[in-house]
């Protein structure tokens, strides 16, 4: 118990230290995972809706791919993105390797299937007759999609939370494509790995605490939002 | 106007109509036993499903599915057999059709709610409504967009007399205002009260269609006679 309190104290001290790198690391974690979630949302909501509402050739294959993607090991994604971005890789000219862009790309690939897949199942869970009803009221296909997304907003929120959870806590991909470079690509998870390896358990625990507190706060906020959205 | 229209689900043809004309500005009652294809017919009339054969002509124009202009779709609306409301307030539900069209007029929403006697429930969640209230919200939601053609699928089924009266009064008002109405009903008396024309569907086929007077007084088909005399068990 005392140990835990000590960790807590240290975590707070770390954050309060002005020139502490912890802020920088936390900020980058949020930036990378936030940007990746943003991209996944922009692409994943329409993709999920498309898969739930339209039938087209290759739909089943795409769904199978998404389901596979939902359980993809981050380190595998990291390796693929690494090869893609390495000097001799097809996207080597971008010179993204060991930059935040590379980390965002890798995390987008990890969270997109989660967001799209869970959005799809949410919409599929809505009453199919509702689509017909909305259409009868004069909704264009886009308007039908928007109304359905709003109708299943709880599920969509869960999709976003799950997508975020999959990347904020992920270490394999960011480690490979980011390289854990201090001051430029070091995020919470990679810093924790590093400090643990160095035997700096106090620091590692403090960083872990920050990570947990962060995810807790975000999940709590989402829960409150969910309640607001579905109240009445 | 429908010509040779048929609809299949899987291998089963659930509807086949050689010819049916719905006259603008008149009210048509569709009668028929359960499973006759009445709801299917309404979905076709609202362009919500593609017929497997035949043609649907609306306002002199042939309807080509997949290339249906939104403006045409928006002239027709349906109050379905089972009212499905959005998970939001009564007010938002009624305003929805107007929002889609980019014009929310407060007064129009209030008026529609008043017509169905629900103006005091406007801020309540649609989730907590009783069956009769939900049915009336569904009607208000259709009224507010002032459709040229209103399709009603058993709008008073399972309702108490007071609710039936409210809904029938609304339908009568729309009739006077010249809205084209198609109403599916199991009540012969309701058909008599509300409709100018009557059509009888059985097993997906149109048995007889004509003016209310003709159908009720001089039915040509023996099945129609049996149906309106209540000899048909269904
Ligand atoms: N989406 C569908 N898929 C398969 N079969 C369907 C579908 N919709 C309707 N049917 C079938 O078509 C037939 C006609 O159905 P419809 O709902 O039009 O009947 P109805 O005349 O409205 O009956 P009721 O008075 O009970 O509402 C029924 O046998 C029904 O099982
Ligand atoms: Mg029906």
């Amino acid at each position: 118990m005392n140990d835990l309190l000590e960790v807590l104290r240290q975590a707070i001290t770390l954050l309060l230290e002005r020139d502490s790198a912890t802020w920088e690391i936390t900020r980058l974690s949020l930036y990378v995972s936030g940007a990746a979630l943003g991209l996944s949302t922009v692409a994943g909501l329409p993709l999920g809706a498309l898969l739930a509402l339209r039938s087209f050739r290759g739909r089943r294959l795409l769904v199978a791919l998404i389901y596979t993607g939902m359980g993809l090991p981050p380190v595998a994604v990291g390796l693929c993105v690494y090869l893609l971005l390495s000097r001799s890789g097809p996207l080597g000219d971008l010179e993204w390797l060991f930059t935040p862009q590379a980390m965002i790309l890798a995390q987008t690939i990890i969270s997109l299937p989660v967001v799209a897949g869970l959005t799809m199942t949410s919409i599929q869970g809505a009453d199919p007759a509702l689509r017909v009803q909305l259409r009868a009221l004069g909704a264009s296909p886009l308007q039908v999609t928007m109304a359905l997304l709003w109708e299943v907003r709880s599920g969509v929120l869960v999709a976003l939370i799950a997508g975020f959870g999959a990347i904020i806590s992920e270490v394999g991909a960011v480690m490979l494509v980011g390289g854990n470079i201090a001051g430029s690509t070091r995020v919470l998870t990679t810093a924790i790995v590093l400090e643990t390896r160095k035997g700096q358990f106090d620091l590692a625990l403090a960083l872990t605490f920050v990570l947990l507190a962060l995810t807790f706060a975000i999940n709590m906020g989402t829960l409150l939002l969910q309640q607001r959205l579905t109240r009445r | 106007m429908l010509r040779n229209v048929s609809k299949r689900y899987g291998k089963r043809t659930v509807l086949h109509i050689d010819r049916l004309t719905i006259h603008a500005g008149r009210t048509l009652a569709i009668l028929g036993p359960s499973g006759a294809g009445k709801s299917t017919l309404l979905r076709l009339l609202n362009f919500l499903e593609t017929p497997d054969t035949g043609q649907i002509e609306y306002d002199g124009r042939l309807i080509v599915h997949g290339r249906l202009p939104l403006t045409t779709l928006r002239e027709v609306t349906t109050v379905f057999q089972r009212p499905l409301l959005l998970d939001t307030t009564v007010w938002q539900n009624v305003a929805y059709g107007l929002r889609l069209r980019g014009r929310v007029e407060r007064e129009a929403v209030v008026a529609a709610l008043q017509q169905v006697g629900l103006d005091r429930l406007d801020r309540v969640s649609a989730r907590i409504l009783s069956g009769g209230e939900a049915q009336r919200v569904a009607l208000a939601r259709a009224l507010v967009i002032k459709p040229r053609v209103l399709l009603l699928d058993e709008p008073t089924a399972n309702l108490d007399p007071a609710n039936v009266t409210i809904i029938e009064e609304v339908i009568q008002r729309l009739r006077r205002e010249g809205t084209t109405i198609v109403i599916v009903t199991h009540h012969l008396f309701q058909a008599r009260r509300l409709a100018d024309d009557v059509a009888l569907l059985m097993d997906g086929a149109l048995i007889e269609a004509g003016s209310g007077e003709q159908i009720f007084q001089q039915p040509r088909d023996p099945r129609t006679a049996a149906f309106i005399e209540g000899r048909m068990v269904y």
Side-chain angles (χ1 to χ4, degrees), chain A:
Chain A
M1 195 63 211
N2 270 339
D3 282 357
L4 260 179
L5 281 177
E6 180 55 27
V7 167
L8 207 124
R9 205 185 56 77
Q10 198 173 358
I12 292 166
T13 329
L14 267 177
L15 283 174
L16 291 181
E17 270 173 35
R18 278 268 217 82
D19 55 343
S20 150
T22 313
W23 271 122
E24 186 53 34
I25 293 172
T26 308
R27 204 192 53 78
L28 189 66
S29 269
L30 278 177
Y31 167 69
V32 168
S33 296
L37 181 68
L39 291 172
S40 299
T41 307
V42 169
L45 295 194
L47 181 59
L50 187 78
L51 290 170
L53 300 175
R54 295 267 177 285
S55 50
F56 50 89
R57 276 184 57 166
R59 180 188 167 277
R60 282 217 288 207
L61 179 67
L62 206 54
V63 172
L65 282 176
I66 282 179
Y67 280 155
T68 312
M70 288 172 82
L72 223 50
V75 68
V77 174
L79 179 62
C80 292
V81 172
Y82 187 99
L83 294 174
L84 211 61
L85 295 178
S86 68
R87 264 285 170 78
S88 50
L91 296 179
D93 290 344
L94 288 174
E95 302 194 336
W96 273 10
L97 201 57
F98 306 131
T99 65
Q101 284 98 303
M103 299 155 78
I104 292 171
L105 176 62
Q107 292 205 335
T108 303
I109 295 172
I110 295 168
S111 58
L112 177 61
V114 178
V115 173
L118 292 180
T119 300
M120 179 186 77
T121 48
S122 299
I123 294 181
Q124 284 170 338
D127 193 330
L130 186 59
R131 280 165 71 181
V132 183
Q133 172 70 81
L134 295 173
R135 191 79 181 132
L137 287 168
S140 67
L142 180 67
Q143 288 171 325
V144 170
T145 307
M146 298 302 274
L148 284 176
L149 280 172
W150 182 249
E151 193 69 10
V152 301
R153 52 198 178 273
S154 279
V156 171
L157 220 49
V158 169
L160 299 186
I161 277 291
F164 190 71
I167 52 181
I168 190 74
S169 58
E170 165 288 308
V171 58
V174 278
M175 186 71 103
L176 276 181
V177 304
N180 193 24
I181 302 164
S184 78
T185 61
R186 182 165 299 168
V187 289
L188 283 169
T189 53
T190 54
I192 292 167
V193 171
L194 180 76
E195 298 306 335
T196 309
R197 281 218 198 101
K198 288 201 303 198
Q200 301 264 27
F201 299 119
D202 291 357
L203 200 52
L205 273 172
L207 287 167
T208 306
F209 175 78
V210 173
L211 180 60
L212 289 178
L214 203 66
T215 32
F216 179 76
I218 287 168
N219 282 318
M220 200 65 207
T222 315
L223 188 70
L224 291 177
L225 183 65
Q226 191 175 29
Q227 275 173 356
R228 271 189 76 110
L229 288 179
T230 54
R231 198 179 41 195
R232 281 191 245 238

Side-chain angles (χ1 to χ4, degrees), chain B:
Chain B
M1 184 158 89
L2 275 65
R3 244 183 273 122
N4 289 324
V5 164
S6 74
K7 180 71 198 171
R8 280 194 308 267
Y9 289 116
K11 288 217 172 93
R12 227 173 102 229
T13 301
V14 299
L15 193 68
H16 188 104
I17 290 180
D18 296 330
R19 192 185 187 84
L20 173 65
T21 306
I22 292 156
H23 301 282
R26 289 171 71 92
T27 297
L28 167 70
I30 297 179
L31 299 171
S34 190
K38 306 182 295 296
S39 299
T40 306
L41 175 58
L42 289 197
R43 284 197 296 276
L44 288 170
L45 292 176
N46 204 161
F47 322 121
L48 299 170
E49 287 194 49
T50 320
D52 293 301
T53 66
Q55 293 167 333
I56 296 177
E57 209 176 88
Y58 172 78
D59 211 7
R61 280 164 294 157
L62 202 63
I63 295 298
V64 184
H65 284 266
R67 266 192 290 140
L68 175 75
L70 202 55
T71 46
T72 305
L73 175 74
R74 286 181 172 174
E75 289 179 2
V76 185
T77 193
T78 306
V79 177
F80 290 91
Q81 200 164 354
R82 188 164 59 95
L84 258 186
L85 302 178
L86 291 163
D87 182 8
T88 171
T89 59
V90 167
W91 171 277
Q92 289 296 343
N93 265 284
V94 175
Y96 183 72
L98 292 176
R99 267 229 321 277
L100 291 177
R101 291 159 175 76
R103 49 181 171 93
V104 179
E105 295 141 17
R106 271 193 61 84
E107 309 78 51
V109 178
V110 174
L113 280 167
Q114 270 168 354
Q115 283 195 56
V116 299
L118 284 177
D119 41 320
R120 290 165 71 193
L121 286 184
D122 61 345
R123 302 175 64 152
V124 157
S125 160
R127 246 191 274 164
I128 64 159
L129 296 180
S130 74
E133 289 164 346
Q135 190 67 268
R136 284 186 282 157
V137 172
L139 181 62
R141 175 168 75 170
L143 289 181
V144 80
I145 57 184
K146 298 196 167 56
R148 275 184 72 187
V149 182
L150 179 62
L151 311 173
L152 301 161
D153 200 346
E154 302 189 30
T156 60
N158 311 315
L159 293 186
D160 66 349
N163 272 313
V164 172
T165 308
I166 292 174
I167 288 184
E168 285 194 4
E169 275 172 4
V170 171
I171 296 171
Q172 293 286 19
R173 177 167 328 124
L174 289 172
R175 264 182 93 186
R176 284 197 298 276
E177 289 169 7
T179 307
T180 307
I181 300 172
V182 179
I183 175 170
V184 170
T185 178
H186 284 291
H187 303 283
L188 292 175
F189 287 110
Q190 187 169 55
R192 279 188 192 230
R193 280 196 297 273
L194 297 177
D196 306 303
D197 304 315
V198 175
L200 181 68
L201 271 186
M202 264 177 213
D203 279 335
L206 185 65
I207 302 296
E208 190 168 353
S211 74
E213 270 167 49
Q214 183 251 305
I215 296 279
F216 286 119
Q217 262 121 54
Q218 298 144 340
R220 289 198 199 94
D221 195 289
R223 286 168 296 179
T224 314
F227 189 85
I228 61 173
E229 284 162 25
R231 278 190 278 116
M232 185 84 69
V233 182
Y234 67 90

